[in-house]
Amino acid sequence: MTDQSTPYVPVPTRRPRRLRSSPAMRELVSETVLRPADLILPMFIADGIDAPREISSMPGVHQHTLDSLKRAAHEALEAGVRCVDLFGVPRDEDKDAEGTPSCNPDGVLNHALAAMREEFGDDLLIMADTCLDEFTDHGHCGVVRQDRWGRAVVDNDATLELYQQMSVAQADAGAHIISPSGMMDGQILAIREALDAAGHEDVSIMAYSAKYASAFYGPFREAVGSSLEGDRRTYQQDPANVRESLLEAELDVEEGADFIMVKPAMPYLDVLRAVAEASPVPVAAYQVSGEYAMLQAAARNGWLDLEAVMMESLTSIKRAGANQILTYFATDAARVLNNRR
Ligand code: PBG
C-alpha cells in the first residue's frame, strides 16, 4: 500500500534563482556595469560634400560635414561619451598611391582634427585613425610595390615612414590619441619615436593590436568610399588564430602602446578575453560596421529588438574584458544608460 499523503519534499539544493528574484536583487549582484564613458564613437568626415550623407548599409551613421560632425560630437558629449575617433574620407581625385592627403595639414582629416580640438579643448578626447587606406587610390593600408616575383605586396617599412609623418601631422593638428589600424610590424615603436621627436610625448597611442582580416568590415568600405580590390590577408590576422593576438599585443605594449585593441568584437570575444587577461594596459574592443549593420538590419525587419540587442552586445563585450568599446551605437547606448538612472 502506498501512502498517498506524503508530500513532495525537495532535497535542499543550491537555488541560483534566488539572486534573480527582483530588479533590486539583480542590480545588487550585477558584475558588469556599462558606463557612457566606456564608449568611443567612430565618426566619418568627408571632403567635398555640403550636407551629411547617410551610409546606406549603416542606418543612422553619416559621412559628415564639419558642421554636422561638431553637432553630432556635441550630442555624444552631452550623453556622456568622452572620446570620438575620426576617419577621413577624401575626394577620389585627391587619392594617390602614397595617400598624400593623410599628411597634409589641410587634408580633410587633419583639418577636422584641428577644428574639433579647437571646439572641444580637453572636454572630449579626439582620436585619429592613423592608416592610409582611406587616402590611397589602391585602397591598401600601406605602400604597394612589386616583389621580385612580380607580386604586388604592401611594403612594411616604407609604410612605417608614412605612418610616422601622418601621426605627427595628426598630433600637430591636435589629436589626443593616435590609433594606427594598418597592422604593419613595428608601427607602434616607429610612431612613438616620431611623436616624441616632434615634441608630442603627451599624445597617446591606441594600438589596433589584434585586428583580423574580417568580412565584418564590409559596410565600412562603403562608409569611406574605399577603392580596395582584393583583401588584406597579408597584413591582417587570420580568423582561425588566437596565439598571434597575444604576441601582437605583447609586442605593441613593449613598443609603447598606451592602449591595445581587439577588432572585431562580437565574433572574437574569446580573443578579447585572452588578451585582456594578459594585458598590463587598458584593452579596447571595436564593434565594427558589420556588427552594427547586422543588428540594425534584423531590427528593421522586426526580427530583433534594437535597444535590447544593442545593450546586450555591449554588456557582453565589456564582460569579456573590454575596458573601452568603439561602437557606432555610442551616443544611443549612452542615452539608454542615462535614462536607466
Ligand atoms: C582601416 C580600417 C578599417 C576599419 C577601421 N579601420 C577597414 C579595414 O581594415 O578594412 C573597419 C571599421 C569597421 O568596419 O567599422 N583603416
Side-chain angles (χ1 to χ4, degrees):
M1 231 174 81
T2 54
D3 177 357
Q4 307 253 319
S5 65
T6 303
Y8 168 65
V9 182
V11 185
T13 56
R14 279 263 149 226
R15 297 199 148 218
R17 286 187 55 193
R18 276 197 286 258
L19 298 188
R20 300 172 199 148
S21 57
S22 67
M25 185 66 91
R26 292 194 290 275
E27 189 165 4
L28 184 70
V29 301
S30 167
E31 295 173 28
T32 305
V33 181
L34 202 58
R35 303 171 307 145
D38 297 330
L39 308 174
I40 298 174
L41 178 65
M43 305 180 86
F44 302 99
I45 173 75
D47 204 359
I49 59 173
D50 35 51
R53 236 195 243 157
E54 189 166 23
I55 297 152
S56 63
S57 51
M58 300 175 74
V61 178
H62 296 82
Q63 289 185 351
H64 283 292
T65 64
L66 198 47
D67 273 353
S68 71
L69 183 78
K70 287 182 192 167
R71 243 179 292 125
H74 275 290
E75 288 170 14
L77 179 59
E78 271 154 35
V81 172
R82 306 311 305 266
C83 183
V84 296
D85 180 19
L86 299 194
F87 292 87
V89 185
R91 289 182 299 199
D92 277 343
E93 58 266 35
D94 292 335
K95 297 181 181 182
D96 60 26
E98 304 219 316
T100 306
S102 66
C103 299
N104 179 347
D106 299 324
V108 61
L109 180 55
N110 295 326
H111 181 252
L113 290 168
M116 290 284 278
R117 181 68 186 262
E118 174 88 30
E119 178 85 6
F120 291 99
D122 288 334
D123 293 338
L124 181 69
L125 295 167
I126 311 299
M127 181 151 95
D129 183 64
T130 308
C131 192
L132 290 173
D133 64 309
E134 290 99 75
F135 300 96
T136 51
D137 50 15
H138 46 69
H140 274 295
C141 297
V143 182
V144 177
R145 65 169 171 79
Q146 304 283 316
D147 72 5
R148 60 199 185 90
W149 293 278
R151 299 181 307 183
V153 295
V154 173
D155 184 324
N156 196 86
D157 296 2
T159 301
L160 293 185
E161 280 176 43
L162 292 180
Y163 286 0
Q164 289 181 312
Q165 291 170 32
M166 185 177 186
S167 56
V168 170
Q170 294 176 332
D172 285 346
H176 295 93
I177 306 175
I178 299 299
S179 63
S181 60
M183 290 301 281
M184 295 302 124
D185 292 336
Q187 61 184 8
I188 303 305
L189 181 61
I191 288 172
R192 186 71 269 162
E193 286 182 347
L195 290 173
D196 290 354
H200 291 302
E201 294 88 351
D202 54 348
V203 171
S204 49
I205 301 178
M206 180 178 284
Y208 284 65
S209 300
K211 179 174 178 181
Y212 285 85
S214 172
F216 286 99
Y217 306 149
F220 177 93
R221 307 266 165 90
E222 179 197 342
V224 300
S226 170
S227 342
L228 182 71
E229 282 169 25
D231 61 58
R232 307 197 196 287
R233 283 186 279 188
T234 67
Y235 43 106
Q236 298 180 349
Q237 290 176 229
D238 184 340
N241 298 344
V242 64
R243 279 188 214 288
E244 63 188 309
S245 286
L246 296 172
L247 175 61
E248 289 278 6
E250 189 183 327
L251 290 171
D252 283 355
V253 171
E254 273 170 20
E255 290 178 27
D258 300 292
F259 306 75
I260 57 177
M261 191 204 294
V262 173
K263 175 186 180 181
M266 285 197 286
Y268 295 85
L269 293 184
D270 59 322
V271 177
L272 176 57
R273 161 59 60 196
V275 169
E277 275 173 4
S279 178
V281 300
V283 177
Y286 198 141
Q287 183 180 49
V288 301
S289 57
E291 300 178 64
Y292 177 86
M294 102 188 146
L295 299 186
Q296 285 282 2
R300 265 150 209 259
N301 267 307
W303 296 342
L304 288 174
D305 172 340
L306 185 62
E307 183 175 311
V309 291
M310 167 175 85
M311 300 315 288
E312 183 178 333
S313 64
L314 295 172
T315 301
S316 299
I317 293 165
K318 183 149 187 204
R319 189 199 62 234
N323 300 110
Q324 295 79 31
I325 306 172
L326 293 97
T327 173
Y328 301 97
F329 288 122
T331 304
D332 291 342
R335 285 179 179 149
V336 171
L337 293 170
N338 296 330
N339 290 337
R340 283 187 183 167
R341 284 281 127 204

